[in-house]
Amino acid sequence: MLTDPEVHASTPQQAKTNLSGRLGTGAIVFMVIAAAAPLTVVGGNVPLAIAGGPGAGAPVGFALASLVLLVFAVGFVTMTPHIPQAGAFYAYATRGLGDRVGVGTAAVALVAYTAIQVGVYGYLGWAVNDVLHTFGGPSLPWWVWALAALGIVALLGYRHIDLSSKVLGVALVLEIAVVLVLDAGIFARGGAHGVNAESFTPHAAFSGPLGVAVLFAITGFIGFEATAVFRDEARDPERTIPRATYLAVLIIGGFYTLSCWALVLAAGTDDAPAVAQQTLDGQGNMLMDTAQAYVGTALRDVMQVLLLSSLFACVLSFHNVIARYTFTLARKDLLPARLGAVHPRHHSPSVSSVVQTATALVLVVCCAVAGLDPLVGVFGSMAGVATVGMILLMLITSIAVVAFFARDARLASGRAWQTRIAPVLAVAGLLTALWLVFSNFTLVTGVGVGASVVLGVIPFLALVAGLVRGPRGARERM
């Protein structure tokens, strides 16, 4: 392993200055899908897409969102061999559009990931309390459970990445398995009125605002770029990262589309919007009620518990992503060099991990002191910030891909689809997605127009701050 003499360890024992790992395609896919929290999306985003969107046609929205991200992934993956370091969107923007835009992109990424992690802590705290109440347990403030989870995440995030990948892998397999069992039960019993493909007809897809379904589908993909964040810890980055990226999008998109279709069939194509609306009104729970009806009380109870592991896996994955972003930026002299230290035994970005824990702790405590509602005030608002931020990041990255290959015709030779057509189509699709987000932003945040506007501009303010800050002497460390 190469060492970097310019990065000094915090202790005399600090010998290795690069992250290490043997993560294969499967391990990285596990961590990326875990960040997407599939069980949480099926239980939360799917009812929102059905009730606020085209009703029975909502599965088309998830399919379209998957298509947009697949097109985006074409350029993203094609540029991967030319990105020699981790950093994901930051690294791509820097290589394609220059250091200043790269710094701005990094600022957006840190804001977006920090926001969604804090939001999920709020959701997790509420969910733990809700499950305990269901089973006759004590009722405690949401932040008690959020802080307990934060402590466990801090321990796992501090250690070698392989430990986190194993924890995330177990949690992910369980939560996907339980939803697939439910899906199978619905299809086996024929749903409410028989299995049919009416959801995928033009009549159903355009029976309501399809854009709303696409919007909530895209929010379910937050974190899929983490495939490139773990580059330094991948077994064979040039092969592992592209494979993991395509697999993550295909698995997440297929899972969401299938599960959304199954829930529509379970309620009936005509009744699905009303059933989903009851979930939003707090008069029912589309996912849990469907599980009770089609596979029994036992699986419903298991699903409630696995919702907690889904949310925990989500915050752990985001913790790892943020820690590696700050680690990479420190290695570029864009953050204090101390954040670029590597633990001598765990070979993890230990200092960045501790700082990330401290940041999350402060923000969770601030939310608790402010008395914010864990779902609307914490999760809803933070998810809004993260959704805008992630679309902005992908948009910048697609532009960077076009710019990078336009400068070197030799690299783009014979690959017009990968280097020009697909990235340009991705830009168009992401601009449309950004418009959809802002057109329906109050649905995401759950707060008023004024507060939503403030939340929506935060990622853009981060971008501007990064552009103004600029590289200022940042240097490449290979």
Side-chain angles (χ1 to χ4, degrees):
M1 178 177 293
L2 298 177
T3 58
D4 186 346
E6 294 181 305
V7 180
H8 301 286
S10 58
T11 67
Q13 291 78 25
Q14 180 81 42
K16 297 182 179 180
T17 59
N18 288 329
L19 300 180
S20 72
R22 297 285 297 167
L23 298 177
T25 300
I28 294 177
V29 169
F30 274 149
M31 286 191 285
V32 171
I33 300 178
L39 180 56
T40 305
V41 172
V42 173
N45 291 34
V46 166
L48 284 166
I50 295 173
V60 175
F62 285 90
L64 286 176
S66 304
L67 180 61
V68 170
L69 292 180
L70 275 176
V71 173
F72 164 80
V74 172
F76 184 70
V77 164
T78 301
M79 192 171 168
T80 295
H82 307 285
I83 306 297
Q85 73 281 340
F89 291 149
Y90 154 73
Y92 287 73
T94 300
R95 195 69 185 269
L97 300 173
D99 289 338
R100 192 171 293 275
V101 177
V103 175
T105 303
V108 175
L110 288 176
V111 167
Y113 275 116
T114 300
I116 192 60
Q117 188 195 36
V118 172
V120 175
Y121 273 124
Y123 195 153
L124 176 60
W126 172 86
V128 172
N129 204 47
D130 184 62
V131 169
L132 289 177
H133 178 73
T134 299
F135 292 108
S139 179
L140 296 175
W142 67 270
W143 51 264
V144 173
W145 307 114
L147 293 178
L150 196 151
I152 301 173
V153 168
L155 176 63
L156 292 173
Y158 187 81
R159 297 173 64 83
H160 195 278
I161 189 65
D162 287 344
L163 178 59
S164 289
S165 70
K166 292 174 183 176
V167 172
L168 292 172
V170 172
L172 178 65
V173 168
L174 291 174
E175 66 176 286
I176 287 183
V178 74
V179 177
L180 289 178
V181 168
L182 173 59
D183 292 346
I186 293 171
F187 285 109
R189 292 178 57 181
H193 306 295
V195 176
N196 60 76
E198 185 177 340
S199 289
F200 301 97
T201 63
H203 172 74
F206 296 104
S207 62
L210 180 59
V212 173
V214 175
L215 159 64
F216 285 110
I218 287 177
T219 63
F221 282 89
I222 290 178
F224 92 98
E225 66 122 346
T227 53
V229 173
F230 296 105
R231 180 185 180 88
D232 290 345
E233 293 148 293
R235 183 179 300 130
D236 183 2
E238 281 67 30
R239 294 185 179 182
T240 301
I241 301 306
R243 290 175 181 173
T245 301
Y246 282 127
L247 278 174
V249 175
L250 289 170
I251 293 172
I252 294 172
F255 179 79
Y256 289 164
T257 304
L258 176 67
S259 298
C260 182
W261 181 28
L263 287 179
V264 168
L265 291 175
T269 54
D270 293 331
D271 297 328
V275 174
Q277 187 60 49
Q278 289 177 352
T279 300
L280 307 188
D281 295 338
Q283 299 173 357
N285 186 312
M286 190 175 195
L287 177 61
M288 299 303 170
D289 293 345
T290 301
Q292 169 98 30
Y294 282 86
V295 290
T297 302
L299 189 70
R300 183 206 62 188
D301 292 342
V302 169
M303 192 173 289
Q304 283 187 301
V305 174
L306 288 178
L307 174 62
L308 306 185
S309 68
S310 172
L311 291 166
F312 178 79
C314 183
V315 291
L316 175 58
S317 184
F318 284 135
H319 174 97
N320 286 328
V321 170
I322 298 168
R324 281 150 185 79
Y325 254 113
T326 54
F327 173 87
T328 299
L329 295 176
R331 289 298 182 92
K332 303 291 184 182
D333 289 340
L334 296 171
L335 289 175
R338 184 73 181 84
L339 294 173
V342 177
H343 194 281
R345 182 158 58 93
H346 300 307
H347 305 156
S348 63
S350 53
V351 178
S352 287
S353 179
V354 170
V355 170
Q356 205 290 304
T357 297
T359 301
L361 176 63
V362 169
L363 291 173
V364 169
V365 169
C366 287
C367 291
V369 171
L372 297 179
D373 177 82
L375 289 183
V376 177
V378 182
F379 178 72
S381 58
M382 293 298 99
V385 173
T387 301
V388 173
M390 293 308 299
I391 294 176
L392 182 59
L393 287 170
M394 290 190 287
L395 181 60
I396 294 172
T397 301
S398 292
I399 296 172
V401 171
V402 175
F404 174 76
F405 287 107
R407 288 199 302 268
D408 193 331
R410 179 179 54 84
L411 293 177
S413 179
R415 298 192 296 173
W417 165 249
Q418 296 97 319
T419 61
R420 290 193 297 274
I421 299 174
V424 169
L425 289 175
V427 169
L430 291 166
L431 284 173
T432 302
L434 195 60
W435 174 77
L436 290 173
V437 168
F438 282 120
S439 299
N440 303 278
F441 202 48
T442 55
L443 289 175
V444 182
T445 62
V447 297
V449 175
S452 294
V453 170
V454 173
L455 293 171
V457 301
I458 288 177
F460 292 93
L461 292 177
L463 176 62
V464 172
L467 291 172
V468 172
R469 161 70 167 80
R472 295 186 181 180
R475 59 182 177 272
E476 186 78 12
R477 288 181 176 171
M478 306 291 289

